[in-house]
Amino acid sequence: MKVASFFGLRPRISGLLFLIIGVIALITILVPNSDDSSTTLTTRVPPHNIYSNYGRIKEQAAIDYLDLRFFSLGVNRLKEFPLCGKERDNYVPCYNITETDRNCEFVREGERCVVRPPRDYKIPLRWPVGRDIIWTGNVKITKDQFLSSGTMTKRLMLLEENQITFHSEDGLIFDGVKDYAFQIAEMIGLGSDTEFPQAGIRTVLDIGCGFGSFGAHLVSLNVMPICIAEYEASGSQVQLALERGLPAIIGNFFSKQLPYPALSFDMVHCAQCGITWDIKDAMLLLEVDRVLKPGGYFVLTSPTSKAQGNSPETKKTSISTRVDELSKKICWSLSGQQDETFLWQKAADPNCYSSRSQASIPLCKDDDSVPYYQPLVPCISGTKTKRWIPIQNRSKASGTSLSELEIHGIKPEEFDEDIQVWRSALKNYWSLLTPLIFSDHPKRPGDEDPVPPFYMIRNAMDMNARYGNLNLAFLNQGKSVWVMNVVPVKTRNTLPIILDRGFAGVLHDWCEPFPTYPRTYDMLHANELLTHLSSERCSLMDLFLEMDRILRPEGWVVLSDKLGVIEMARTFAARVRWEARVIDIEDGSDQRLLVCQKPFLKK
């Protein structure tokens, strides 16, 4: 291929010059140095911090190389992306209607388009009303599908022709979700489900979460649920949960590990989740054990109404006997049973594993590997890590203790500084989230008039979350917002401390689409993610299309990065039809904010 045709330039000399400079830039990026090269590329640094000289050279080389690629492609890149057809209203990359397993393939140039909302789409209702009432036009499941779904209709009522309401009191399990949660609390030995946080239960992985009623109840108890359910071509538990403003992602672990490190959750919950736990040599149960913290609980519920002709005694035997038989090999104990709900507790003492019989399941050798959709393993994970802390022994005080920071290898002064940075940054961001910034009179950070309505943002995604301190800032400032804290897979894995703090989070590779349905987040935030991705040679065009796909109409994007990268980002924002303005944070650095709002493209 000719250099000129590769870069879209006719003069060969100009093309050759660009190629030479680009190669030099890449060499500068990729050549390792004697210091820890992961510091500048894998750790997000607060906007005002100063990099080492070498780090600045590496980052500037990455930016320069992106600039060369950008300008060499010419004016054709300034054209807006076309709008997708109706068939992509609920488009989820990496999944299709013939398979439920994740399979990410390269998106060809001809397939790049902006996903539009369905014709009947409406902006979600304000929180907390929107948690229990959604617009039927916003989800793929139709009212007819709801009405034909048997027992599901017991928790539904159609208020109007275009609304669905969810009854937290009706028909989740037996006598209602509150009674069900109280039943679980009793089996744990608690007086009430309100005592979950005091018992060390801060995060719950809800497998196959249905309509999200259990998760909605957990939120009211200050417990963070994360729904995970497989992709569904027609109707989706994940889409329903997210439309209600609840944390959820697409995923299953029939063949691969979940994108979570070992010892991530305080409880794993499965109510009619459709998983046969004793197949594949119990590797599905081993995956639950891998993500479950020491002293944590596994709750399994399968009502007799689903027994399909089997007697209750047979049903109990098939669930409790076989799973309990397997659980003894992995140091679980059956702590309680009421009706068709069983509760196992994972061992808090790691010595349990050395006292098992020789025929037991072996221990894994590598406990600190990054489990990003890796194959399931036939061994027990997490027993050798420093993070083996029973949930009952964790600090009950708010905040993160010095001993916890030490376990995660984090310096207290660095952590405290990061908290202060994001506490101040959120105040600036919040004051900017108004259409007035796109007028001829731009606002400056810190201006408090007008204040955005508190309900305009229900959820946010921090695309490069580091320690999760933007999430903490939302909480400290009383914002009714939950945050999906995303830790890029090729950065330092800080997801364990995020989950330990009771926040929602997940590992993800931003060179690939995110496992969610369109229009599921109200705000996207990324600090220095674009600079990081430039070194990974990801397509920023595809990234912006993906951000547009998962952002709801009239949602917000806040990007913080180097000036050169932000200017490029503004051009990509124009291609997906976002309103955008560059904000100078006026701290003497070359850091800039790009604040964008997605328009409501009606059909």
Side-chain angles (χ1 to χ4, degrees):
M1 181 183 293
K2 295 181 180 180
V3 175
S5 63
F6 180 80
F7 281 106
L9 298 173
R10 293 181 179 177
R12 297 192 178 188
I13 296 178
S14 300
L16 182 61
L17 177 61
F18 276 118
L19 179 62
I20 294 172
I21 298 175
V23 170
I24 294 173
L26 278 178
I27 293 174
T28 307
I29 298 168
L30 298 176
V31 171
N33 59 316
S34 59
D35 298 330
D36 182 6
S37 61
S38 65
T39 301
T40 55
L41 292 180
T42 66
T43 302
R44 188 189 65 183
V45 181
H48 64 276
N49 277 19
I50 299 176
Y51 293 96
S52 65
N53 289 336
Y54 188 77
R56 280 189 175 277
I57 292 173
K58 290 176 70 177
E59 291 192 359
Q60 189 59 48
I63 294 169
D64 291 344
Y65 178 66
L66 272 178
D67 285 336
L68 287 171
R69 290 199 309 170
F70 174 71
F71 290 114
S72 66
L73 288 175
V75 295
N76 288 334
R77 293 191 57 149
L78 300 179
K79 294 181 180 179
E80 291 180 340
F81 287 109
L83 300 177
C84 301
K86 182 179 179 181
E87 71 280 359
R88 287 205 176 190
D89 286 356
N90 293 281
Y91 174 57
V92 180
C94 301
Y95 295 89
N96 60 50
I97 60 174
T98 62
E99 58 184 54
T100 57
D101 245 353
R102 179 177 178 274
N103 182 18
C104 293
E105 296 181 356
F106 178 74
V107 180
R108 295 187 299 274
E109 181 74 29
E111 297 176 339
R112 290 189 173 111
C113 58
V114 173
V115 176
R116 289 186 291 179
R119 182 181 300 275
D120 297 330
Y121 182 86
K122 295 184 179 181
I123 300 300
L125 299 171
R126 68 178 65 182
W127 184 272
V129 175
R131 181 178 58 195
D132 297 321
I133 301 176
I134 65 173
W135 302 108
T136 55
N138 290 11
V139 293
K140 196 170 184 178
I141 297 179
T142 65
K143 289 181 294 183
D144 291 339
Q145 288 173 313
F146 275 129
L147 293 172
S148 63
S149 60
T151 58
M152 292 294 186
T153 57
K154 294 179 181 178
R155 46 181 129 144
L156 266 183
M157 179 178 70
L158 299 181
L159 292 181
E160 298 177 3
E161 188 66 20
N162 58 357
Q163 285 184 342
I164 302 172
T165 184
F166 297 87
H167 286 281
S168 59
E169 296 300 320
D170 295 340
L172 171 68
I173 305 290
F174 307 112
D175 296 323
V177 62
K178 288 187 177 180
D179 290 338
Y180 176 64
F182 187 84
Q183 182 186 67
I184 294 174
E186 279 188 328
M187 287 190 286
I188 294 174
L190 304 177
S192 169
D193 55 356
T194 59
E195 298 177 13
F196 279 157
Q198 288 84 353
I201 300 172
R202 303 177 186 174
T203 55
V204 175
L205 181 66
D206 193 5
I207 303 173
C209 53
F211 291 169
S213 297
F214 184 58
H217 181 63
L218 290 177
V219 169
S220 71
L221 302 174
N222 293 320
V223 175
M224 178 57 69
I226 299 179
C227 164
I228 186 165
E230 63 182 338
Y231 170 74
E232 299 167 89
S234 60
S236 165
Q237 302 171 67
V238 169
Q239 189 181 36
L240 280 168
L242 284 162
E243 189 63 27
R244 298 182 67 182
L246 302 171
I249 60 171
I250 299 171
N252 65 61
F253 48 95
F254 294 134
S255 61
K256 296 179 181 178
Q257 294 178 339
L258 298 174
Y260 290 97
L263 316 183
S264 288
F265 295 96
D266 306 317
M267 178 184 285
V268 177
H269 174 257
C270 164
Q272 297 177 257
C273 62
I275 295 178
T276 306
W277 294 103
D278 56 352
I279 62 173
K280 290 192 172 185
D281 298 323
M283 283 203 293
L284 302 183
L285 206 61
L286 285 174
E287 177 63 3
V288 171
D289 179 80
R290 186 184 70 83
V291 299
L292 192 60
K293 290 181 180 178
Y297 301 95
F298 175 52
V299 181
L300 177 62
T301 299
S302 184
T304 55
S305 60
K306 295 294 183 181
Q308 297 180 346
N310 294 337
S311 66
E313 291 76 15
T314 302
K315 190 68 177 177
K316 289 179 182 179
T317 300
S318 65
I319 293 176
S320 63
T321 302
R322 180 59 182 147
V323 175
D324 196 43
E325 189 178 293
L326 293 169
S327 69
K328 293 174 183 177
K329 297 181 180 181
I330 56 177
C331 286
W332 288 9
S333 59
L334 183 62
S335 297
Q337 175 190 348
Q338 290 190 25
D339 300 315
E340 294 299 327
T341 298
F342 301 85
L343 182 139
W344 285 269
Q345 185 175 19
K346 180 174 178 176
D349 185 357
N351 293 324
C352 171
Y353 299 96
S354 59
S355 61
R356 298 172 305 151
S357 65
Q358 292 183 350
S360 296
I361 299 171
L363 303 182
C364 298
K365 294 182 180 180
D366 186 3
D367 282 343
D368 294 321
S369 59
V370 178
Y372 189 66
Y373 299 108
Q374 296 298 312
L376 295 174
V377 293
C379 54
I380 299 172
S381 304
T383 59
K384 301 174 184 178
T385 178
K386 294 186 295 183
R387 296 188 292 105
W388 184 278
I389 303 174
I391 64 173
Q392 295 82 4
N393 295 354
R394 289 186 312 198
S395 172
K396 301 299 188 296
S398 60
T400 306
S401 67
L402 292 177
S403 60
E404 290 173 324
L405 291 177
E406 182 179 357
I407 288 172
H408 292 285
I410 300 172
K411 297 179 180 179
E413 59 274 14
E414 175 187 334
F415 188 76
D416 291 341
E417 181 184 19
D418 196 65
I419 290 176
Q420 297 304 320
V421 165
W422 293 114
R423 180 178 299 169
S424 174
L426 180 60
K427 292 180 180 178
N428 294 337
Y429 292 169
W430 204 254
S431 69
L432 291 169
L433 301 188
T434 166
L436 288 182
I437 72 165
F438 304 123
S439 69
D440 293 332
H441 304 284
K443 287 174 58 60
R444 291 299 181 193
D447 292 351
E448 299 297 337
D449 183 26
V451 177
F454 72 94
Y455 55 81
M456 68 181 296
I457 296 178
R458 304 162 303 162
N459 60 17
M461 175 185 285
D462 193 352
M463 300 172 66
N464 190 18
R466 204 187 187 193
Y467 303 139
N469 283 326
L470 179 62
N471 193 152
L472 180 66
F474 273 114
L475 292 175
N476 289 343
Q477 295 182 29
K479 310 297 184 185
S480 299
V481 178
W482 66 265
V483 178
M484 180 61 76
N485 296 278
V486 181
V487 176
V489 291
K490 295 181 181 179
T491 67
R492 177 184 176 186
N493 183 10
T494 55
L495 186 57
I497 192 171
I498 289 172
L499 297 171
D500 282 355
R501 302 173 78 183
F503 300 158
V506 69
L507 292 169
H508 183 64
D509 183 352
W510 282 114
C511 294
E512 301 172 349
F514 191 80
T516 192
Y517 289 82
R519 304 171 298 278
T520 50
Y521 286 91
D522 299 338
M523 174 181 171
L524 303 178
H525 170 263
N527 181 56
E528 300 198 350
L529 177 67
L530 303 183
T531 293
H532 165 68
L533 292 180
S534 69
S535 67
E536 301 296 331
R537 290 173 289 178
C538 300
S539 168
L540 293 188
M541 283 192 301
D542 289 338
L543 176 67
F544 273 75
L545 282 169
E546 176 63 5
M547 292 168 66
D548 183 82
R549 184 185 72 87
I550 67 179
L551 186 66
R552 71 159 172 83
E554 298 185 3
W556 295 88
V557 177
V558 179
L559 303 177
S560 175
D561 221 306
K562 300 291 186 296
L563 176 60
V565 177
I566 287 296
E567 289 294 344
M568 256 192 304
R570 180 167 60 173
T571 304
F572 288 127
R575 294 201 67 191
V576 292
R577 298 171 170 80
W578 296 348
E579 296 257 28
R581 181 174 287 278
V582 177
I583 306 293
D584 186 348
I585 60 177
E586 298 180 344
D587 65 348
S589 72
D590 61 347
Q591 202 85 3
R592 298 292 185 275
L593 293 180
L594 182 66
V595 181
C596 310
Q597 187 174 31
K598 176 179 175 177
F600 193 160
L601 298 175
K602 297 183 179 181
K603 293 185 178 180

